[in-house]
Amino acid sequence: MKFFVDTADVNDIRELEDAGLIDGVTTNPSLILKANRPMKEVIAEICEVTPGPVSAEVTALEAEEMVREGRILAEIADNVCVKLPLTLDGLKACKTLTDDGFQTNVTLCFSATQALLAAKAGATYISPFIGRLDDMNIDGMQLIADIRRIYDNYDFETEILAASIRTINHVREAALLGADVATVPPSTLKALVKHPLTDKGLEQFLADWKKTGQSI
Ligand code: G3P
């Protein structure tokens, strides 16, 4: 499973990239707002920090304008992946941009049939939002399972990018269900490494090692 980090904070991205923990980055307009920096500037910087795909989202609502914005974003760097909303216009723009050789990420997916349409439009990635479904008491993981099954039934190459991940358990379940990628906030990604028994065990080993009086 690949890990993307879901943030526009360059310092966090650099830290995780240096640690070898990430394979790419996803951003959205809300994350750009949080970073409080000009979008094109921040996307360019992220693309220098990581060689993996960096999703940058269009904001137009009409297909032709989405394609125009997508081309502008893709010009920033070779590893930009154009992110498009799951609307009819978004799917039309996805098809055009994919046919032209650009990477595409269709976002705001909340149903398996939406995901089926995105695959038929040639999306590189489909982003089902797990956490936002869970917020409404709808099982986000069932959506991942359904999309996996549908894509496997028809050999679609679109990768399932599990998004709106809020917990370590979301990562675990998405991996068990065969999601290709999880996009995870920096804090959750860092939390994946932690386990109290690891800390306890290490403490004990170090205490015993000290008693041996040895050094390596
Ligand atoms: O990239 C989109 C996504 O991961 C949003 O997550 O937590 O705002 O639902 P969230």
Side-chain angles (χ1 to χ4, degrees):
M1 180 187 234
K2 287 178 274 190
F3 283 151
F4 291 175
V5 63
D6 199 27
T7 185
D9 184 316
V10 181
N11 290 330
D12 278 335
I13 295 167
R14 191 172 284 113
E15 185 188 355
L16 293 161
E17 177 66 35
D18 288 349
L21 287 181
I22 54 167
D23 305 287
V25 176
T26 51
T27 67
N28 61 38
S30 305
L31 293 170
I32 296 292
L33 174 70
K34 208 168 156 197
N36 196 22
R37 292 183 54 191
M39 182 204 193
K40 289 183 208 164
E41 179 189 296
V42 81
I43 294 294
E45 205 177 323
I46 295 170
C47 287
E48 277 176 24
V49 171
T50 180
V54 175
S55 287
E57 190 159 340
V58 302
T59 53
L61 293 176
E62 189 267 323
E64 221 171 286
E65 188 58 14
M66 285 180 185
V67 170
R68 194 189 67 81
E69 287 186 1
R71 289 187 205 283
I72 291 171
L73 294 173
E75 260 174 32
I76 295 174
D78 286 346
N79 53 332
V80 166
C81 174
V82 181
K83 203 170 180 187
L84 303 142
L86 213 158
T87 59
L88 197 51
D89 281 273
L91 293 174
K92 273 165 77 176
C94 174
K95 176 138 183 47
T96 303
L97 290 165
T98 307
D99 287 348
D100 288 352
F102 297 107
Q103 295 187 78
T104 49
N105 174 1
V106 176
T107 188
L108 291 167
C109 171
F110 294 96
S111 80
T113 42
Q114 285 183 316
L116 178 56
L117 291 176
K120 286 175 73 68
T124 316
Y125 301 100
I126 181 67
S127 290
F129 276 32
I130 297 170
R132 291 191 194 185
L133 282 170
D134 285 356
D135 289 346
M136 299 182 71
N137 286 324
I138 298 169
D139 184 3
M141 282 305 154
Q142 186 57 49
L143 176 58
I144 301 290
D146 289 350
I147 300 173
R148 178 75 284 154
R149 186 157 169 203
I150 290 169
Y151 282 10
D152 289 348
N153 280 348
Y154 299 99
D155 289 332
F156 283 120
E157 284 175 13
T158 300
E159 293 192 35
I160 302 172
L161 197 175
S164 186
I165 283 196
R166 310 266 174 79
T167 65
I168 293 172
N169 212 32
H170 277 158
V171 177
R172 176 183 157 273
E173 289 183 45
L176 282 169
L177 291 168
D180 301 285
V181 193
T183 189
V184 188
S187 55
T188 312
L189 204 44
K190 287 179 200 166
L192 292 177
V193 80
K194 299 295 283 178
H195 196 287
L197 289 178
T198 304
D199 295 341
K200 198 176 163 211
L202 185 59
E203 202 181 311
Q204 180 69 56
F205 285 158
L206 290 180
D208 289 345
W209 178 245
K210 205 170 172 192
K211 285 182 206 156
T212 70
Q214 300 179 43
S215 64
I216 297 172

